[in-house]
Amino acid sequence: MEQILKHTWELSEADAINLQQELSLKVIKEDHFAEINYVAGVDVAYSKKDDKLIAAIVILNATSLTIVESVVVVDTAHFPYIPGLFSFRELPPILKAFNQLKTPPQLIVCDGQGVAHPRRFGLASHLGVLLDIPTIGCGKTRLVGEFQAPEQNRGAIAPLVDNGDIIGNVLRTQENIKPIFVSIGHRISLATACEWILKLSPKYRLPETTRQADQLVNRVLSQIQKNMKTEESGT
DNA sequence: GCGACAG
DNA sequence: ATCTTGTCGC
């Protein structure tokens, strides 16, 4: 898959913030896409013991929600976790994984925020701008913004507001279950993003894309930890 | 100064 | 997010 825009990942904290402000101008907050046949789910896990990031991409058929391809990349972490600068830690391995992908998706669902971010440029927006593909930010918890709890029924939404801007929606994907935080990543409107997340979450709290990517990433993570254990006992 | 803070 | 511990269910 072709990466449209590239930049260095060796940045200071201040330079990373400047880059976010510059790139945030490129985010398109409307529906800019044609037919969506394949949807990607992206997730990253972290092994603290050997300081490795494990990035997984799962491609689903957009109608049947079955897996058509998956890729895993294990990489060294080169940037610390700083709230607001999450993408500078997790995107390098994610982009490596996209390079190995054979089935290009027309929509990417990210585990992390889109424009629901202090500088309106969370991981989902960052990935969307670099690949120029529609992305949705889908977080389990909030980074910024205030909200009221949405009604208890599936599909209920409440606006996520920061500085007077509606930066996302708090969306109930399953009745009586904690809602998730949906925001524009790139090339999609908030309303369409929520429609897709509901369509992708027929059974569980999280969309099938992130669920499958999470399962894959954790399977690889536990395999790595298992291998390290047998190496210890063999030495 | 203190708390809050995607994963 | 991970790690550690304990508890519960299969």
Side-chain angles (χ1 to χ4, degrees), chain A residues 145-151 156-161 169-172 179 181:
Chain A
E146 297 95 53
F147 63 97
Q148 309 253 289
E151 301 297 307
I157 56 168
L160 180 65
V161 180
N169 272 339
V170 188
L171 171 67
R172 188 92 57 184
F181 297 79

Side-chain angles (χ1 to χ4, degrees), chain A residues 113-173:
Chain A
Q113 314 292 346
V115 300
H117 178 277
R119 290 166 293 280
R120 309 291 181 258
F121 199 69
L123 181 140
S125 297
H126 200 155
L127 181 62
V129 166
L130 294 189
L131 297 177
D132 202 29
I133 290 176
T135 55
I136 298 173
C138 188
K140 294 182 281 291
T141 61
R142 159 213 94 103
L143 174 58
V144 289
E146 297 95 53
F147 63 97
Q148 309 253 289
E151 301 297 307
Q152 292 298 320
N153 59 298
R154 168 174 157 91
I157 56 168
L160 180 65
V161 180
D162 183 47
N163 256 304
D165 300 331
I166 295 180
I167 57 175
N169 272 339
V170 188
L171 171 67
R172 188 92 57 184
T173 49

Side-chain angles (χ1 to χ4, degrees), chain A residues 37-202:
Chain A
N37 295 313
Y38 297 110
V39 188
V42 176
D43 191 34
V44 179
Y46 176 57
S47 168
K48 191 181 183 179
K49 212 174 170 185
D50 51 349
D51 198 34
K52 295 286 188 199
L53 292 164
I54 300 103
I57 301 173
V58 172
I59 303 290
L60 303 186
N61 179 303
T63 308
S64 63
L65 305 189
T66 52
I67 299 177
V68 301
E69 190 187 346
S70 58
V71 176
V72 174
V73 162
V74 180
D75 202 3
T76 312
H78 292 291
F79 202 91
Y81 169 66
I82 301 167
L85 297 178
F86 191 41
S87 57
F88 292 91
R89 178 179 176 81
E90 297 214 336
L91 274 191
I94 288 172
L95 289 167
K96 282 187 187 176
F98 268 101
N99 279 333
Q100 296 181 19
L101 207 59
K102 293 186 173 157
T103 318
Q106 290 81 42
L107 176 67
I108 303 170
V109 180
C110 296
D111 190 354
Q113 314 292 346
V115 300
H117 178 277
R119 290 166 293 280
R120 309 291 181 258
F121 199 69
L123 181 140
S125 297
H126 200 155
L127 181 62
V129 166
L130 294 189
L131 297 177
D132 202 29
I133 290 176
T135 55
I136 298 173
C138 188
K140 294 182 281 291
T141 61
R142 159 213 94 103
L143 174 58
V144 289
E146 297 95 53
F147 63 97
Q148 309 253 289
E151 301 297 307
Q152 292 298 320
N153 59 298
R154 168 174 157 91
I157 56 168
L160 180 65
V161 180
D162 183 47
N163 256 304
D165 300 331
I166 295 180
I167 57 175
N169 272 339
V170 188
L171 171 67
R172 188 92 57 184
T173 49
Q174 293 299 320
E175 196 161 333
N176 298 328
I177 287 178
K178 191 156 58 137
I180 62 174
F181 297 79
V182 179
S183 57
I184 293 170
H186 185 51
R187 280 182 173 271
I188 195 166
S189 67
L190 181 56
T192 309
C194 288
E195 279 173 30
W196 268 99
I197 294 301
L198 272 181
K199 175 182 161 153
L200 295 169
S201 317

Side-chain angles (χ1 to χ4, degrees), chain A residues 11-19 85:
Chain A
L11 295 155
S12 66
E13 199 171 321
D15 286 343
I17 289 171
N18 285 332
L19 183 61
L85 297 178

Side-chain angles (χ1 to χ4, degrees), chain A residues 205-223:
Chain A
R205 178 188 173 218
L206 296 175
E208 205 56 28
T209 46
T210 34
R211 246 177 47 81
Q212 297 289 355
D214 183 72
Q215 281 185 14
L216 178 57
V217 104
N218 280 310
R219 228 178 298 151
V220 174
L221 178 64
S222 58
Q223 190 59 50

